[in-house]
Each structure stands twice: as C-alpha cells, then as structure tokens.
C-alpha cells in the first residue's frame, strides 16, 4: 500500500478518523436506545437491521434479532479507554519503582541492587523501540515515561549508596546534566516518542543554576547561570519552539537579579558587575529578535535592561531626581530606531518600545514628585489673603523633575513628527506644560516671577488650544490651560494684589479667547464660561475689600448677568454658554443675599429686572416666566419681612388687572396659551394665599380660598382652559388635605396598627388588578389636558 504521507503522519490521521467514527457511533447508539424506549411505550413492534457486513442479516435482506437484544451503548471510545489504561498502568509502575527504591532497597546487596535497577531501566528504555515497530505508540509512550522515571531513581540510588557524603545540590546539578544528555539522545534515537525531548529540555534548566547555588556564587553568579541557560534555550528554540518559553522565563529572572543588584549598589564600582549582566541580557534579547521576527518583546526587554545597565552605573553618584534624568538621557535615544529601516522589524519595534517604556516610567516618576508641590500651594485656602506663601522646599525634587518632564516632552514631540499617530502629540503637550508650569516653582523663583511664568505657560496652552487643528492635541492643551488657570488662581488668593492681577489677566485672556472666531466652538465656549467666572470672582473680591456685609456683595455680582444680558446677540456662538454661566452668577448673588430678607428681596427684584430685559428679545421670551417668578418671590419675601398676615390685600390688586390683561389678549389672539394669559395673575394670589392658609389655624381663610379655587377650577373646565383648571385644582386639593389632615391623624391613631398596612395592600391589589385600565385612563386624562389652552 503506497501513500504520499509519511507513516507517522498517516498513522496520526487514521487515529483521528477512527476517533471521529467512534464518536459518531456513540451518538447513533444513544439515539437508537431512545427510539427503542419510545417504541416500547407505544406498543409497536420494532424492526432492527444489523450492520451491513457480509453474512449479516442486513446484507441478505432478512430482519435481525429484536432490537432489545442488542447490548448497551458504549460510553467511551476505544482510544480514550486505551489512554486511560496506559496512563494508569504507567503511574502504578512508577509508584512501584519508587516504593522499591525507598523501601526495599536496603534488603538487597549492592550487586543485587545494581542488577535489578540496571535490568529494569534497560528493559523500560528498550521496550518502546519494539512497541513502536508493532504500531503500539501509546503503549510505547507510557513505557518510555516509566523508563525516564527509572533513570531519575537510578541517579538517586547512586547518590544514596555510592556518594552519600557528596554535596546534594552539586550532585543534583551534575545528575540533571547527565539525565538531560541521556534523555536528549534517547529522544533523538526514537523521534516518534513525544516525551523524552521535552523532558530533556526541562532537565537542562537545572544544572547551571544548581551549580551556582552549590558553589555559593552569590546573586550575580546565579544571574549569570540563569542567563547562560536562557541563551542555550534560545539557541535550541531555533529548532525546538518549546524551548522559547524557558528561555524567556530564565532570561527575565536573570535580568531581574541584575536590576536588583544594580539598584542596591552603593557606588559606581559596585554597579559595574550588575551592569555587565544586564548588558549581556540585552545582547541576548537583541540577538533573539534579530533571528526571530516575532520576538520583538525580547528586544524591548533587552533595551530596557541596557538602559538600566548604563544609567545604573551613574545612579549611585546622583540624587534621585537626577537619576531619573540619567535614565531618560540613555533610554530616549532608542526612539531613533524608528528612523533606521536597515534594522530588522522586530529589533526596531523592540527598541522603540523600550524607549517608550523608559520615557513613560521617567515621566511618572517626575510627575509623582511634582504633584505634591503643586497641591501644597493650595494650603493658602486655609487663610485667604494672609500672604503666607511658603518658600521652596529644600528637600523637594528640585529642577530635576522639571528637566525630566521636558526631556520626555521633547522626545514625544519628535516622535509625533516622525509617526502618524496622535498619541505622542498629546503626551508632548501634557508633559511640556507640566515641566514648564512646575519649573519656576521647583527652582525657587520669587512669588511674582512664579506667577508671571505660570500665567505665560497657561496662556500658551490656551493659545495652542485655540489654534490647534488636531483634536487630540487641542483637547490636551485646553485641559492643561484649565488645570493651570485653576492652580494659579487658587494660589493667588494668598495676597490681595496677586488675586486681582492674576484673575484680571486670566479673565481678559479668556474673553479674548471667546472672541477668537477661527477657534473651535467648544474651545470658545469654555473660554466664555471662564471669562464670566473670573468676572464674578473679581466683583466678589472687590466687594470683600469694602466694609459692607456679605449680603450686600450680591449687588455687584448681579452686574455680571446684567452685562451678559445686555450684550445678547453680540456674543455670537458663545451666547448660550455665557448666559448659563451668568445664570450661575445670579444664583450665587441670591445665595450671598439670603442672610437678610430685605437684601434678598432686592436681589430677587433686580434679578427679575435682568430677566425681563433679556426677555425683550424674541428668542429669549421664555425668560419672561423667570422674571415673573422672581418678581413674585421678591414680593413674598418683602411681605414676609414686613410681618404681613393677609397677603391677599397686596396680591389681589395685582391679580385683577393681570387677569383683565390676559382676557384682552385672549380676545385678540384666540391661540394664546391660558398659562400666558391667566397663569401669572392667578398664581399671584392663589399661591401666597395657600402658603398663608397652610399655617393658619382659623377656618375662614381656608374656606374662602377653597371656594375661590373651586370657582377657578370650574371656570377652567367650563371654558376648557388648562391654567385655571390645573392651578385651581391643585390649590383646592392642597386646601382639602390641610383641612382633613388633623382628622386623618386622629382616625389613624384610633385604628389598630395593622389596619393602615392592610388598607395599603388592598389599594395596591386593586390598582394592580386594573393596571391596564388605569393606564388607559391616565393617557386619556393627559390627552384631554393637552387639548386645553
């Protein structure tokens, strides 16, 4: 029988097809049993046809024996059962050999021991060759595994009898080397076996590290042993891919040992030996990446190791901050590999990755040193305008942190110029701003010089955000500008002059940015919001210089929303964000004036005037509602401050003409909403009266108010007007609840405690049982109200 495939591959193919056939047969037998049970239950007579083989009933066309005479379905395929049996047999033989070596060894003489072990080992190692010739590959694998284990037991027995005084670690190293060689030769002789060669690779990892431990070579000796073993594994990985895993693990362990020794070195001389280990590891990584296109990770790790080796020699002689600079000076030039096309792709990619890793670690270290310095400036908030700005910390990071950030920023900027990715540009902006913003503070400049430099850096970031065409860099610049403005603004609270100077300059810059037409709209909107915020802050600071009480600070703050409302359409695309920021300023003014009712009423009235003035423009008509609400609130506050107990005397004279005006408007414009025509007039009396009735213990006001609310509700229902119907109904319901509340409380106190929960449960059940009907009723009610004017 001729076949184009080698015998080993054809045998594996046949085994796979047989396993698939066994699986299919198992499924068909299970299906057959289910059908037989179904036929037995129905009482039908099943007809079973046997397999179509020569001499079978199926081949002759006659029915076979009844279906229930067939044996049960098999639950395991033949190869699976064979593997389980062989594995179990190998384990039992291994346990027996181990027990013989450990327990029965001492009852035999030296000749008998040697003869027994030699005979058993030779037989176990020779048997797989015979089994393979007969096609019993699985059995050969199991017996070979037992034979390999017996060689380990032979080595142990030799040590226990022949060399009991020898060093255990050294003997183990030598035995591992011998076993690795023997297993490798055995696996090469019988290439069909899959166990010996991987076992030899595993055993080969032990000799050099164990020898280093036996000779007490120290951490560096162990590192060299690990590295040499990794190099041998890397060389073997060119032919056996499985060796790449131990090569990576042992190489990483060796580099870790070298890095620890380099970092713990107390002088440059002591760092030379670890540096040599790290450089050797770097060379090994570069060589692996040079030969294997997918091993760029080895080049990356090797590049980082080379940086640690070179900079580690200088580290003991430098301060911690400058040690970071030294690592950056050594590692960042690796980024230039991106412009060297002659290098293999894996080496080039790994070198660039190593430069990125070193830059990222250096930037994080420098940023971690700078952040506490910037945060410490915010301690001025504990006592504003106290002029207690601390001097530069002599134990701080100094200029090294700023230099490290600027180096990383320069490298990121260069990388953004030679690559098409946006990330380096974003990093360049953030790192450059961080270094320039923190440099004057770290260098111990005078306070005025620090503020001037930081304002310039913040302004530069803002200009970059306004002029940036790239969205990523623009967002990064805007975020840096905002962070710098916030930090320097809060730091300026240490002195009065600094507050006005810094806030004034930043506010002017934000206003200029909001007016810069070519910039993106979102950048201009943010600048407009910041400009309104700085204007508000300056007015609050100016008010704080006077002897006025805090409640009177609200009046100058209201100038900000008044100015924004006056500019109106002149603000262009930033009008809406500016008006929202102005509304926040108005809310701040009301909060400042809340301590005195008279001042609060005045602030509410002035706010109403601002809203009314803005509502003059057609596109801001909605502010008329806000103006009306503010005027009514001002009136209520004024009446409450005057001790008025009968608000109707003040509200009815407003309600009557307001309703008359609304009636005239409805006469001229039948499409006008009832909320516009009658809402303000009705609310002017109903709501203050409801507030008074809610705290009134007499019955006259609730009765009159309820009657008036009922009349308003009926009027709204009669003429199909939404505002009278809803306002009158809400006030009538509130009055009813107020009147019934004492009786409800009295009845609830008289009832047993289980009654209210029971009633609530019954109500929930009733609502749930008619949920869909209630939902339809609610929709009809909403539609009916929506049709009202």
């Amino acid at each position: 029988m001729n076949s184009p495939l080698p015998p080993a591959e054809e045998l594996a193919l046949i085994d796979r097809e047989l396993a698939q056939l066994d699986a299919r047969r198992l499924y068909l037998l299970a299906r057959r049993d289910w059908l037989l049970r179904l036929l037995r239950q129905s009482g039908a007579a099943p007809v079973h046809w046997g397999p179509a083989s020569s001499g079978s009933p199926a081949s002759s066309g006659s029915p076979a024996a009844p279906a229930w005479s067939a044996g049960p379905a098999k639950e395991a395929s033949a190869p699976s059962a064979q593997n389980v049996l062989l594995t179990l047999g190998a384990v039992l033989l291994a346990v027996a050999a181990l027990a013989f070596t450990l327990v029965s060894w001492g009852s035999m003489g030296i000749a008998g021991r040697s003869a027994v072990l030699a005979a058993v080992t030779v037989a176990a190692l020779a048997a797989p060759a015979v089994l393979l010739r007969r096609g019993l590959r699985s059995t050969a694998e199991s017996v070979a595994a037992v034979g390999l284990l017996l060689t380990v037991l032979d080595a142990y027995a030799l040590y226990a009898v022949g060399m009991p005084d020898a060093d255990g670690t050294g003997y183990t190293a030598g035995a591992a080397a011998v076993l690795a060689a023997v297993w490798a030769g055995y696996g090469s002789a019988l290439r069909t076996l899959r166990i010996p060669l991987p076992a030899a690779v595993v055993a080969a990892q032990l000799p050099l590290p164990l020898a280093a431990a036996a000779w007490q070579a120290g951490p560096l000796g162990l590192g060299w042993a690990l590295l040499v073993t990794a190099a041998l594994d890397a060389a073997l990985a060119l032919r056996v891919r499985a060796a790449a895993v131990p090569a990576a693990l042992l190489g990483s362990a060796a580099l870790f040992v070298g890095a620890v020794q380099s970092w713990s070195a107390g002088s440059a001389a002591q760092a030379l030996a670890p540096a040599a280990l790290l450089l050797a590891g770097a060379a090994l990584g570069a060589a692996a990446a040079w030969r294997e296109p997918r091993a760029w990770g080895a080049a990356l790790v090797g590049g980082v190791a080379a940086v640690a080796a070179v900079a580690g020699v200088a580290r003991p002689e430098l301060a911690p901050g400058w040690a970071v600079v030294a690592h950056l000076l050594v590692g960042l030039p690796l980024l230039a590999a991106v412009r060297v096309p002659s290098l293999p792709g894996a080496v080039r990619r790994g070198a660039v990755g190593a430069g990125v890793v070193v830059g990222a670690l250096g930037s994080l270290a420098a940023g971690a040193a700078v952040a506490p310095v910037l945060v410490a400036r915010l301690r001025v908030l504990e006592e504003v305008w106290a002029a207690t700005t601390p001097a530069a910390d002599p134990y701080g990071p100094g200029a090294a942190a700023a230099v490290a950030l600027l180096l990383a920023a320069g490298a990121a900027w260069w990388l953004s110029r030679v690559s098409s990715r946006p990330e380096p540009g974003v990093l360049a902006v953030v790192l450059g701003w961080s270094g320039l913003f923190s440099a004057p503070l770290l260098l111990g400049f005078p306070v005025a010089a620090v503020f001037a430099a930081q304002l310039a850096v913040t302004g530069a970031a803002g200009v970059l955000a306004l002029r940036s065409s790239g969205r990523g860099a623009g967002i990064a610049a805007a975020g840096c500008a905002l962070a710098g403005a916030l930090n320097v603004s809060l730091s300026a609270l240490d002195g009065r002059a600094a507050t006005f100077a810094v806030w004034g300059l930043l506010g002017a810059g934000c206003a200029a940015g909001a007016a810069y037409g070519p910039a993106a709209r979102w950048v201009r909107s943010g600048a407009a919001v910041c400009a309104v915020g700085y204007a508000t802050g300056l007015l609050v600071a100016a008010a704080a210089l006077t002897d006025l009480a805090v409640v009177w600070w609200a009046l100058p703050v209201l100038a900000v929303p008044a100015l924004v409302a006056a500019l109106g359409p002149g603000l262009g695309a930033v009008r809406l964000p500016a008006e929202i920021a102005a509304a926040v300023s108005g809310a701040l003014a009301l909060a400042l004036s809340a301590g005195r009712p008279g001042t609060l009423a005045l602030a509410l009235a002035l706010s109403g005037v601002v809203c009314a003035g803005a509502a003059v423009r057609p596109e801001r008509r909605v502010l008329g509602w806000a103006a009306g609400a503010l005027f009514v609130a001002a009136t209520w506050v004024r009446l409450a401050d005057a001790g008025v107990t009968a608000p109707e005397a003040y509200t009815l004279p407003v309600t009557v003409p307001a309703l008359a005006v609304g009636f005239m408007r409805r006469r001229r414009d039948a499409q006008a909403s009832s909320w516009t025509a009658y809402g303000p007039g009705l609310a002017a009396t109903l709501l203050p009266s409801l507030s008074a009735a809610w705290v009134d213990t007499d019955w006259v006001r609730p009765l009159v108010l309820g009657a008036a609310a009922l009349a308003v509700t009926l009027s709204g229902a009669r003429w199909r007007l939404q505002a009278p119907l809803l306002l009158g109904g809400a006030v009538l319901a509130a009055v009813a609840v107020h009147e019934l509340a004492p009786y409800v409380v009295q009845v609830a106190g008289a009832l047993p405690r289980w009654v209210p929960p029971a009633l609530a449960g019954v109500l929930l059940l009733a609502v749930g049982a008619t949920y869909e009907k209630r939902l339809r009723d609610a929709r009809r009610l909403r539609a009916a109200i929506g049709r009202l004017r």
Side-chain angles (χ1 to χ4, degrees), residues 32 40 48 65-71:
R32 176 177 177 278
R40 291 193 193 101
H48 172 72
W68 47 81
S69 65

Side-chain angles (χ1 to χ4, degrees), residues 31-45:
R31 181 71 177 175
R32 176 177 177 278
D33 289 342
W34 180 80
L35 292 173
L36 287 174
R37 289 195 299 270
L38 187 64
L39 290 173
R40 291 193 193 101
Q41 293 174 1
S42 62

Side-chain angles (χ1 to χ4, degrees), residues 727-755:
L727 278 176
V731 172
L732 182 61
V735 172
V737 170
H738 174 265
E739 294 302 309
L740 291 177
Y743 301 102
V744 172
V745 172
Q746 183 178 0
V747 171
L751 291 175
R753 294 188 177 182
W754 59 267
V755 173

Side-chain angles (χ1 to χ4, degrees), residues 691-718:
S691 300
W694 197 261
V695 296
D696 194 350
T697 58
D698 201 359
W699 59 273
V700 178
R701 176 179 278 110
L703 178 62
V704 175
L705 179 60
L710 178 61
V712 171
T713 304
L714 294 176
S715 300
R718 169 67 178 79

Side-chain angles (χ1 to χ4, degrees), residues 397-408:
V403 172
L405 291 172
L406 293 177
L407 283 175

Side-chain angles (χ1 to χ4, degrees), residues 57-281:
S59 62
S60 62
S62 60
W68 47 81
S69 65
K74 297 180 180 180
E75 297 182 355
S77 62
S80 300
Q82 176 191 13
N83 293 335
V84 171
L85 293 176
L86 291 175
T87 303
L88 182 59
V91 170
L92 292 177
L93 284 176
V95 172
L98 184 63
F100 170 78
T101 304
L102 298 178
V103 178
S104 302
W105 186 263
S107 62
M108 302 179 64
I110 182 122
R113 301 170 190 171
S114 302
V116 169
L117 274 179
V120 173
T121 303
V122 170
L125 293 177
V130 179
L131 294 172
L132 287 175
R133 282 197 297 270
R134 297 192 177 186
L136 302 175
R137 178 177 176 181
S138 298
T139 306
E141 293 280 3
S142 301
V143 175
V146 174
L148 298 182
L149 177 62
L150 287 175
T151 58
V152 177
L153 297 178
D154 288 339
Y156 169 75
L158 179 61
Y159 170 74
V161 174
M163 294 178 287
D165 298 329
D167 179 65
T169 306
Y171 177 81
T172 305
V178 173
L179 289 176
V182 171
W183 292 352
Y186 183 70
S188 300
L190 300 176
R191 287 189 172 275
T192 308
L193 297 177
R194 290 175 293 183
I195 295 178
L197 288 179
V201 172
V202 173
Q205 311 307 310
L206 302 177
L208 292 180
L210 290 177
W215 294 338
Q216 297 181 354
L220 284 177
L222 177 60
W224 279 107
L226 292 172
L227 187 61
V228 172
T229 305
L232 296 175
D233 290 334
L236 181 61
L238 297 176
R239 302 189 62 178
V240 181
R241 285 197 174 275
V245 175
L249 295 176
L250 295 183
S252 300
L255 294 178
F256 178 77
V257 172
V260 170
Q261 294 300 309
S262 178
W263 292 335
S264 60
S267 64
Q270 295 178 0
L272 289 176
L277 176 60
L278 292 172
L279 288 176

Side-chain angles (χ1 to χ4, degrees), residues 434-445:
S434 302
L436 294 175
F437 189 83
S438 59
L441 191 63
L442 297 175
L443 291 173
F445 286 2

Side-chain angles (χ1 to χ4, degrees), residues 298-608:
L300 187 152
V301 176
V304 175
V307 172
V310 176
V313 176
R315 183 200 57 79
E317 311 300 333
L318 300 174
W322 291 107
V324 174
V325 175
H327 282 79
L328 290 175
L329 289 175
V330 176
L332 292 179
L334 292 175
L335 297 174
V338 75
R339 300 297 298 272
V340 185
S342 60
L343 287 175
V347 177
R348 183 169 62 252
R349 185 179 178 186
V352 174
V356 171
V357 170
V358 173
L361 294 176
S363 301
L364 289 175
V370 167
V373 178
L374 296 178
V375 173
R377 302 178 70 194
L378 305 184
R379 286 182 294 183
V380 300
L381 296 177
E382 299 174 358
E383 189 175 358
V384 177
W385 290 352
T388 58
T389 299
D393 186 2
Y395 302 101
V403 172
L405 291 172
L406 293 177
L407 283 175
W413 175 82
W414 179 85
L415 196 60
S416 69
R417 303 285 292 180
V418 299
S419 66
S420 58
R421 300 189 62 85
E423 293 85 356
V426 174
L427 291 175
V429 171
V430 174
L431 294 174
W433 172 84
S434 302
L436 294 175
F437 189 83
S438 59
L441 191 63
L442 297 175
L443 291 173
F445 286 2
V447 176
V450 170
F451 282 137
Q454 291 182 337
L455 285 173
V457 174
T458 301
V463 171
L464 180 60
L466 291 170
R467 299 179 63 88
S468 177
S469 58
R471 191 166 183 83
I475 293 175
C480 292
L482 181 61
L486 182 62
N487 187 271
V488 74
S489 299
L490 294 177
S491 302
L493 290 174
D494 188 52
R496 290 180 174 86
T499 299
F500 285 99
V502 171
W503 288 16
L505 289 174
L506 289 174
C510 291
Y516 184 65
R521 184 172 181 177
W522 64 270
V523 180
R524 296 180 57 198
S525 300
V529 171
C530 292
V532 172
Y534 277 115
T536 304
L538 285 172
L539 290 175
V540 172
L545 289 176
T546 66
D547 295 332
L548 296 175
V550 175
V551 294
W552 291 106
W553 296 4
L555 301 183
V557 172
L558 286 174
V560 174
L563 177 61
V564 173
L567 293 176
L571 296 174
V574 300
R575 180 182 182 184
L576 181 60
E579 288 178 343
I580 294 174
V584 175
S585 298
L588 174 62
L590 296 180
L592 291 173
S593 64
R596 184 179 299 172
T599 310
L600 177 60
L602 179 59
L604 288 169
L606 292 176
S607 301

